[in-house]
Amino acid sequence: MADSVAFLARRYPSLDMAKVQILMVIADSPGLSVCDIAQELGEPSHHIQFHVAMLAVGKRGREKHGMGLVYSTRDMFDKRRVNLQLTEQGQRLMRHLKPLTGSKR
């Protein structure tokens, strides 16, 4: 377990608990939108949107800080809605995180 923590700290220094919670929600329910995640976590959607942007490609002007763990696609029925999924890298990260969080899912 200590090896996993050291790996995560080195590889993802800006990964905080808010981002971990968001990743866990996306891993458990792929295809959710930012609003869905905000509602599930009881956080404002602008707060979730910032973290999702950093988990994906970064905010405008801060692209180098993007983690590449999440990607988004437009909903085929509602073009305004953006659905979130984990990238392969995000799925690998979740395999390291699940034992640390005690998640049974």
Side-chain angles (χ1 to χ4, degrees):
M1 183 153 96
D3 292 338
S4 289
V5 173
F7 164 78
L8 292 172
R10 277 192 314 276
R11 180 69 176 97
Y12 302 101
S14 62
L15 187 66
D16 56 22
M17 287 307 296
K19 290 179 184 74
V20 169
Q21 284 183 312
I22 292 167
L23 286 171
M24 290 177 66
V25 170
I26 295 170
D28 290 342
S29 302
L32 291 179
S33 69
V34 168
C35 291
D36 296 333
I37 296 168
Q39 185 175 14
E40 178 150 337
L41 296 178
E43 296 287 338
S45 59
H46 68 274
H47 178 79
I48 302 299
Q49 180 62 46
F50 172 80
H51 288 296
V52 165
M54 298 313 289
L55 287 167
V57 295
K59 298 282 286 173
R60 188 176 323 163
R62 298 175 68 184
E63 289 87 357
K64 68 180 181 180
H65 298 289
M67 298 173 150
L69 301 173
V70 173
Y71 71 95
S72 60
T73 57
R74 291 277 175 200
D75 190 289
M76 66 180 359
F77 299 109
D78 182 355
K79 298 298 182 199
R80 298 168 298 173
R81 181 182 165 98
V82 175
N83 299 321
L84 301 169
Q85 307 230 359
L86 295 179
T87 62
E88 276 193 40
Q89 184 179 355
Q91 292 172 11
R92 281 194 304 272
L93 174 63
M94 286 310 298
R95 286 193 287 275
H96 285 280
L97 285 175
K98 287 207 179 201
L100 299 175
T101 61
S103 176
K104 303 279 190 257
R105 302 184 238 176

